[in-house]
Amino acid sequence: MNVTMRILLRSLMVSAWFVLLTFPVLCVKVAARQHTVTVLWERAVGMFAVMIGCSLLWMWYFHRKEHGAESGSSAVSSALAGFSEKWHGLTSNRVFSSSGMGVLLAVGVLLPLVGSMYQTTIFANAFLYVMLALGLNIAVGIAGQLVLGYAAFYAIGAYAYGLLNQYFGLGFWVCLPLGGLLAALAGLLLGFPVLRLQGDYLAIVTLGFGEIVRLLLNNLRDITGGSQGVASIPRPAFFMELSAEQSMNYMYYLTFAAMLVTIVVVARLKNSRVGLALQALRDDEIASEAMGIDLRTVKLQAFALGSCWAGFAGVLLAARINFISPASFTFMDSAMVLSMVVLGGMGSISGVVVAALVLTLAPEYLRAFSEYRMLLFGALMVLMMIFRPQGLIPSRKRAYSPAGAASGSAEGGRA
Amino acid sequence: MEFDFQYFLGIFFSGLTRGSIYALIALGYTMVYGIIGLINFAHGEIYMLGAFTALIVAGILGGIGLPWWGILVIAALVAMVWCSAYGYTVEKVAYKPLRGASRLAPLISAIGMSTFLQNYVQLAQTSNSVPFPRLIPRRFSFLQDMGNFMAPGDFIMLVTSLLIMVALALFIRYTKMGKAMRATAQNRKMAMLLGIDADRIISLTFIIGSALAALGGTLIAARTGQVGFAIGFLAGMKAFTAAVLGGIGSIPGAMLGGLVLGLAEGFTAGYFSSDYEDVLAFALLVLILIFRPAGLLGRAAIQKV
């Protein structure tokens, strides 16, 4: 029996296994009260068909990885590698990257003038996610500290504006820096005790922290309004009172500007002295300590720098949607931002921006797909880790070329 | 306020019952961590799948006229078999290809798997919480003779989980496979050199852990009468807290940790406020990881450079 037949046979068996496995939960529905049982056979058939395709691809990939294809790269991954190579070539080209930025800027500025209110809203939302993903990228991608409770910092920013406005009447522009500051302080607060922890323990502690923040917001009803949340948070005025649509557009521009600031600052940060220290921390904690990097300071910097962006984003969110409740800051939201960072490529700024835009906009434009959004996010995280752990547009390590040639690489990949 | 012994006893037993379920789920976390050093984030979802499978089986059997305990036993057994298959498959798909990858890769993959399974059940079944058939009778006459110190549901949960834990302890202590599991946990390379098939042991670990989680899911669902797609996260986190509390990687530790956590939560809810039982669990988790990562019964890991 040749290899193809064997793979085919195996994939048939794997598909049968998956049909059997998923049969009770996927294909049987019971109504306990009425004692009715419905069996959805079409789902079993669909599962079988999908699994044949998937298992063939899966086995073909691992087969190629083991035999043949000496470098172990399949056509898809080599195409991707070529793409990211080209991408880096383009982004290190000054003319291209500045003209590309120009086009993006123009599109961003013109959108509210040509698009509908709905489009303005979903783009403003996407920009917020870009900010969040870039902020988390500082901690996870650049510094290698897996933070799972990132939504907590988002919540702190949002509640900072909501509550300070409700109790003390503070305005948006006062609360914007305060929200960022409070989130950064919370990051430090979390950072101090976890200095000794690494890897998965750190991840779990941050997750616990995120849940504690959410539960406190939920339970301290007298202060935060509990699960009812905080309502009627005002939008900022622009010299004069704005109509509903004008203030929507104003919030859109504010979010857009904030996103641009985030991109520029994080890109500059990555290649700064602090950013290099963060990357050294990610690559090898012990070696970087031996090189004279103060781990304590650098880790705290990673937490504070990462969380402050979530604080800013939280204030912007509260101002735009006027209502916040603990239900918007669950673990699922943290996982969603994390999947953006993972998909884009940990540490890669252009990758994370693209991934955040795609993952927030695609479900809006492909309505059929929006129901399956979180399902796909989950699958994507697993598949990315298996097939392309470096992300779609991987971050490039800053290379040192003594000849001083190739100005692009000497300056460090601006990825 | 005078001390109400009856009330105290009620809280004590309900905490103990809750703790025994945490312990059942925690065993899955701790066994997997002991062998491959991975926090199996999807474990809570396996528990949820167990509850759903039991619900479906109970729904199918509901019309035939079996006695209640027959339905409960069959539902639990089917849930355990199916969830072992889920656990086995999850390991093969999401973790096995990542052996030897960086430490964060399997953890992120596990988070993805957890998100995936949760949404899979939500899409395939329903996003509302569903009533689980009332299988357990409201009264057991022998419990009433003993002063009615426990509800029948609690009694079944406590006895079953204690029996299962004893059985597991005996299995790991005395059988050949249990010995192989302990050897793999101590030193995988050495175990492989001695002819132990590490892949099989890892699969076995996932199968046993998932079966225990499914049993826990079935018992909880039968006790509370509610099943929902989101129940896995909180239960999973609490069981993980129990595993860490006892010392992750240690099997008696997971049992002890589960019982301690259940009692702590029970007393917090009973004497303070039930709002804060979840906060307590998470705060305990954070504090233990920071101050005593080795837990109650674990040994501190020494990092050699």
Side-chain angles (χ1 to χ4, degrees):
Chain A
M1 200 158 47
N2 63 5
V3 179
T4 331
M5 274 306 286
R6 234 187 2 242
I7 287 185
L8 266 176
L9 213 67
R10 244 193 92 102
S11 85
L12 278 180
M13 273 163 57
V14 168
S15 314
W17 168 259
F18 269 94
V19 170
L20 192 71
L21 180 70
T22 54
F23 190 78
V25 173
L26 189 66
C27 310
V28 182
K29 277 199 171 182
V30 292
R33 295 262 152 88
Q34 296 86 19
H35 290 302
T36 53
V37 179
T38 9
V39 180
L40 306 151
W41 293 106
E42 71 275 7
R43 286 191 180 175
V45 176
M47 187 74 207
F48 190 69
V50 169
M51 280 322 295
I52 283 194
C54 292
S55 61
L56 275 178
L57 276 176
W58 178 276
M59 277 183 253
W60 174 74
Y61 177 86
F62 280 102
H63 182 77
R64 286 199 54 147
K65 206 171 170 180
E66 273 166 33
H67 318 280
E70 61 283 341
S71 64
S73 64
S74 69
V76 181
S77 67
S78 65
L80 268 176
F83 163 72
S84 68
E85 223 14 75
K86 267 197 203 112
W87 176 275
H88 284 304
L90 284 176
T91 45
S92 56
N93 178 339
R94 286 246 146 159
V95 180
F96 174 82
S97 60
S98 53
S99 62
M101 280 302 255
V103 171
L104 280 182
L105 209 66
V107 170
V109 170
L110 290 177
L111 185 91
L113 305 177
V114 291
S116 64
M117 186 105 151
Y118 168 71
Q119 266 162 345
T120 323
T121 315
I122 61 175
F123 267 87
N125 199 33
F127 295 157
L128 272 185
Y129 272 103
V130 171
M131 283 182 75
L132 286 174
L134 281 174
L136 184 63
N137 193 25
I138 296 178
V140 177
I142 299 179
Q145 310 289 308
L146 186 52
V147 174
L148 288 182
Y150 198 59
F153 302 115
Y154 194 28
I156 287 170
Y159 271 86
Y161 180 39
L163 294 178
L164 286 176
N165 182 273
Q166 196 177 35
Y167 289 110
F168 304 106
L170 294 185
F172 173 81
W173 290 107
V174 184
C175 287
L176 186 64
L178 271 180
L181 192 70
L182 283 173
L185 281 178
L188 284 180
L189 195 73
L190 174 65
F192 264 116
V194 302
L195 278 172
R196 296 187 298 164
L197 302 178
Q198 290 177 7
D200 32 16
Y201 273 23
L202 174 77
I204 294 293
V205 170
T206 58
L207 188 153
F209 170 79
E211 284 302 301
I212 291 173
V213 168
R214 189 179 63 82
L215 287 167
L216 285 181
L217 291 177
N218 215 351
N219 289 340
L220 298 171
R221 287 184 207 91
D222 302 337
I223 307 171
T224 63
S227 54
Q228 304 288 315
V230 183
S232 59
I233 303 166
R235 293 204 180 116
F238 185 62
F239 298 118
M240 48 175 183
E241 286 301 312
L242 298 171
S243 72
E245 192 178 345
Q246 281 171 328
S247 74
M248 264 324 270
N249 287 342
Y250 182 45
M251 277 317 298
Y252 167 87
Y253 282 121
L254 282 180
T255 316
F256 183 59
M259 177 192 73
L260 292 180
V261 171
T262 316
I263 295 177
V264 172
V265 172
V266 176
R268 303 290 298 171
L269 173 79
K270 195 184 162 193
N271 286 319
S272 70
R273 212 180 151 74
V274 174
L276 290 176
L278 292 177
Q279 291 174 58
L281 173 72
R282 169 192 67 191
D283 292 339
D284 192 327
E285 224 166 85
I286 294 163
S288 59
E289 196 170 18
M291 297 303 290
I293 290 172
D294 182 6
L295 286 188
R296 178 184 275 272
T297 324
V298 173
K299 275 191 182 176
L300 290 177
Q301 276 168 342
F303 276 99
L305 289 171
S307 46
C308 73
W309 297 107
F312 292 135
V315 176
L316 286 165
L317 173 86
R320 187 164 58 81
I321 64 174
N322 313 122
F323 166 75
I324 47 174
S325 78
S328 330
F329 309 104
T330 61
F331 173 66
M332 277 297 143
D333 299 277
S334 302
M336 199 156 80
V337 180
L338 181 65
S339 66
M340 289 165 188
V341 175
V342 168
L343 178 71
M346 288 195 234
S348 152
I349 286 163
S350 53
V352 168
V353 172
V354 172
L357 287 177
V358 169
L359 287 184
T360 43
L361 293 177
E364 298 290 346
Y365 284 108
L366 307 167
R367 269 285 151 199
F369 159 78
S370 78
E371 208 184 329
Y372 301 98
R373 192 170 68 145
M374 287 310 286
L375 188 80
L376 290 176
F377 282 8
L380 215 58
M381 272 156 83
V382 177
L383 294 177
M384 288 300 290
M385 280 299 121
I386 296 172
F387 296 111
R388 202 172 161 78
Q390 69 274 43
L392 286 181
I393 305 171
S395 157
R396 263 211 313 201
K397 279 218 177 114
R398 181 162 140 149
Y400 174 64
S401 50
S407 61
S409 64
E411 224 174 284
R414 290 186 50 202
Chain B
M1 198 176 86
E2 77 181 280
F3 184 71
D4 184 347
F5 188 67
Q6 203 66 32
Y7 182 67
F8 172 84
L9 215 59
I11 289 177
F12 177 78
F13 277 109
S14 82
L16 205 61
T17 315
R18 199 196 293 219
S20 66
I21 295 295
Y22 291 156
L24 270 188
I25 312 171
L27 283 168
Y29 278 110
T30 219
M31 281 161 55
V32 167
Y33 195 91
I35 289 197
I36 53 175
L38 162 77
I39 297 171
N40 179 14
F41 230 84
H43 195 59
E45 313 311 328
I46 300 282
Y47 155 89
M48 179 268 296
L49 275 166
F52 258 99
T53 314
L55 169 79
I56 286 158
V57 174
I60 294 172
L61 295 178
I64 317 180
L66 283 172
W68 65 267
W69 50 268
I71 297 181
L72 189 62
V73 169
I74 296 176
L77 286 179
V78 174
M80 284 166 80
V81 169
W82 243 273
C83 286
S84 326
Y86 270 107
Y88 173 82
T89 315
V90 164
E91 194 268 328
K92 287 278 179 262
V93 172
Y95 308 144
K96 192 163 176 242
L98 294 175
R99 299 249 173 88
S102 76
R103 211 173 153 72
L104 288 189
L107 187 62
I108 292 175
S109 177
I111 294 165
M113 206 53 188
S114 158
T115 316
F116 179 84
L117 287 175
Q118 196 173 330
N119 285 277
Y120 152 71
V121 173
Q122 183 187 4
L123 290 169
Q125 290 284 324
T126 169
S127 48
N128 304 321
S129 69
V130 213
F132 194 90
R134 282 231 159 268
L135 293 174
I136 302 171
R138 288 191 190 284
R139 299 201 165 72
F140 283 165
S141 53
F142 73 92
L143 276 178
Q144 273 182 325
D145 295 344
M146 289 159 75
N148 222 357
F149 64 96
M150 278 178 97
D154 284 358
F155 181 76
I156 291 178
M157 266 161 64
L158 188 59
V159 171
T160 320
S161 46
L162 290 181
L163 281 179
I164 289 284
M165 281 191 270
V166 171
L168 180 77
L170 292 177
F171 171 82
I172 286 176
R173 186 85 184 76
Y174 292 110
T175 63
K176 211 168 171 179
M177 274 209 254
K179 214 172 179 179
M181 277 174 76
R182 279 183 290 145
T184 317
Q186 267 180 17
N187 188 336
R188 176 144 37 120
K189 226 178 232 167
M190 191 64 210
M192 282 163 84
L193 285 175
L194 294 175
I196 292 170
D197 185 347
D199 278 346
R200 257 186 68 193
I201 296 298
I202 293 170
S203 293
L204 181 73
T205 312
F206 273 85
I207 287 171
I208 296 178
S210 307
L212 296 180
L215 179 66
T218 312
L219 289 172
I220 284 270
R223 165 81 175 86
T224 59
Q226 286 278 329
V227 176
F229 77 97
I231 59 173
F233 175 70
L234 197 58
M237 282 317 298
K238 287 192 175 171
F240 181 73
T241 308
V244 169
L245 182 62
I248 193 149
S250 148
I251 287 171
M255 300 178 187
L256 180 69
L259 296 180
V260 170
L261 180 66
L263 285 174
E265 270 190 24
F267 282 113
T268 311
Y271 285 104
F272 185 51
S273 152
S274 61
D275 280 354
Y276 289 96
E277 56 177 54
D278 295 347
V279 178
L280 172 88
F282 285 112
L284 257 179
L285 176 64
V286 169
L287 293 177
I288 301 160
L289 282 178
I290 292 171
F291 294 109
R292 194 175 157 75
L296 295 174
L297 300 184
R299 268 171 309 175
I302 301 163
Q303 193 192 9
K304 292 180 188 154
V305 183

